[in-house]
Amino acid sequence: MGTVVGDDEMRPLNHPGWVRELPSFPHSRYNEPLMELFEFYKENVKRDVADGKLRPPDFWFLLRGLLIGAAQTYAAICILLADGRPKPLELQAGVLNRSLLESLGNVLALCEAPKARTKVFLREAYKSLALDFRRLDARYGKVAKWRDYLTGYGKVLQSLAEQLHLSRSRVNKPDAIPDWPTPGVMVYGSRRRQQPPFLRGNRRVAFKEIYDHHYGRQSGQAHQRGFAVATALLVDDPNAPWSRTYGKSRIVASAMIFLACILSEIESKGRYDRHRELRKLWVEICRLDDLAKDLWRLRYRKLIGA
């Protein structure tokens, strides 16, 4: 039982009689093959970029980095929800799950137009660094102990601008460099900016399914809105009428789906031979999760085959 804060009192909040035990997702049995897939593609992409088999190299550098980050995020989610913890940190794991969703969106967007999208992605990274440098230089530029750091920072920015072939106007006004789109703009575009959806075709259809299914709740958790408060209170209350096993399983299942999508995109874009473990993973998650079934039908059955 929780409480509601009134103007001058706290009164009991009566929970509805929810089902306490719901189906769970046996994710631990899939962690080993999932990490095997991660290591396989991480090392093969690195080797094939070095050998010149995968081009453009900057695009594959980003894709490999997103894969590594996604695997690390998945590992962190599992740690936050581990059975040995006194209480599962579901709110924090949900926030990381949103990060995985955004990683998948970035992979999809980059794969749609590797050369052009890589340029947008890297130039926005420069923009973030340049604006940070401008702020630090304005605040600490005359402070002696900051001088070496800011000098080095400036040289890194100059080198990066040269590598990205930025014009003098972009270097002088980095805030004019276009932003990389948010997941919402990837799916729906922006009326205010008169920008169409960044994704097209069944990439957009599949990511829209994920976005509509997950992003509102995950965004509410990340921004500490009402859903975040509710999750924190439920986790903290051992007598709360909800299924702890199901809550943990739901988060890890969706994280596993996002990783399966990322791995499938890399396998397809790199024209790698079909990996048996990736197909086995899809079979299992489709058997246990309805969203996975929808995504397989909408995109991945055709992309990587049965």
Side-chain angles (χ1 to χ4, degrees):
M1 180 175 294
T3 58
V4 172
V5 180
D7 292 336
D8 54 5
E9 63 176 347
M10 295 181 71
R11 60 184 185 276
L13 172 64
N14 294 318
H15 297 294
W18 292 341
V19 175
R20 295 185 66 93
E21 292 303 326
L22 293 169
S24 62
F25 188 98
H27 61 85
S28 59
R29 78 171 68 161
Y30 307 119
N31 286 346
E32 185 173 341
L34 193 60
M35 290 302 105
E36 177 186 328
L37 285 164
F38 158 67
E39 290 293 339
F40 176 83
Y41 286 109
K42 182 185 77 167
E43 295 306 319
N44 276 272
V45 168
K46 181 180 179 180
R47 179 200 65 203
D48 293 342
V49 169
D51 291 345
K53 295 178 181 178
L54 293 177
R55 301 185 67 83
D58 287 349
F59 161 74
W60 282 103
F61 170 80
L62 293 179
L63 231 58
R64 184 172 182 269
L66 287 166
L67 173 63
I68 292 171
Q72 292 171 347
T73 301
Y74 176 78
I77 289 171
C78 291
I79 291 171
L80 292 173
L81 300 177
D83 290 337
R85 297 196 64 86
K87 293 178 181 177
L89 299 177
E90 291 194 22
L91 170 59
Q92 293 71 26
V95 172
L96 289 181
N97 222 9
R98 173 188 164 176
S99 178
L100 264 185
L101 183 154
E102 299 212 21
S103 293
L104 172 57
N106 291 344
V107 168
L108 288 165
L110 287 165
C111 286
E112 190 162 290
K115 289 183 179 180
R117 298 283 174 84
T118 295
K119 184 181 296 185
V120 176
F121 195 97
L122 291 174
R123 287 187 174 188
E124 194 217 34
Y126 172 86
K127 172 182 179 176
S128 297
L129 291 171
L131 292 178
D132 179 59
F133 173 78
R134 178 187 291 179
R135 177 183 61 83
L136 291 174
D137 191 50
R139 177 65 179 85
Y140 303 112
K142 296 181 180 180
V143 179
K145 66 180 182 180
W146 280 82
R147 194 165 298 141
D148 289 344
Y149 174 79
L150 291 173
T151 298
Y153 201 156
K155 290 179 179 178
V156 169
L157 280 175
Q158 181 180 353
S159 174
L160 186 56
E162 292 171 356
Q163 293 176 50
L164 296 176
H165 305 290
L166 291 175
S167 65
R168 177 55 53 186
S169 62
R170 292 299 200 202
V171 172
N172 291 336
K173 294 183 177 180
D175 47 341
I177 295 174
D179 291 325
W180 181 257
T182 63
V185 174
M186 289 184 184
V187 172
Y188 293 106
S190 172
R191 290 184 179 180
R192 181 173 62 85
R193 298 178 181 177
Q194 298 183 330
Q195 182 177 351
F198 204 57
L199 294 173
R200 297 185 296 270
N202 74 353
R203 283 191 180 93
R204 178 178 177 271
V205 171
F207 193 59
K208 181 179 182 298
E209 191 75 15
I210 292 172
Y211 181 89
D212 291 347
H213 195 84
H214 284 288
Y215 196 75
R217 179 174 63 249
Q218 292 177 350
S219 183
Q221 289 178 320
H223 293 293
Q224 297 298 301
R225 306 287 173 78
F227 197 85
V229 173
T231 303
L233 291 172
L234 285 169
V235 169
D236 191 61
D237 183 358
N239 298 314
W242 70 314
S243 171
R244 296 182 184 279
T245 302
Y246 175 74
K248 292 165 58 178
S249 293
R250 176 181 52 77
I251 294 171
V252 180
S254 58
M256 194 172 291
I257 291 169
F258 301 158
L259 267 182
C261 293
I262 290 171
L263 288 163
S264 299
E265 297 294 335
I266 290 174
E267 180 184 276
S268 174
K269 200 67 178 179
R271 298 181 180 179
Y272 286 104
D273 292 338
R274 295 175 176 180
H275 199 299
R276 183 182 63 178
E277 289 299 328
L278 183 54
R279 276 136 200 86
K280 286 171 61 177
L281 177 64
W282 272 109
V283 168
E284 290 299 319
I285 60 178
C286 285
R287 184 173 62 85
L288 295 166
D289 191 281
D290 288 339
L291 176 62
K293 292 178 187 176
D294 291 336
L295 294 172
W296 180 255
R297 173 180 54 84
L298 291 169
R299 177 165 175 80
Y300 292 100
R301 178 170 56 192
K302 183 177 180 180
L303 187 72
I304 66 171

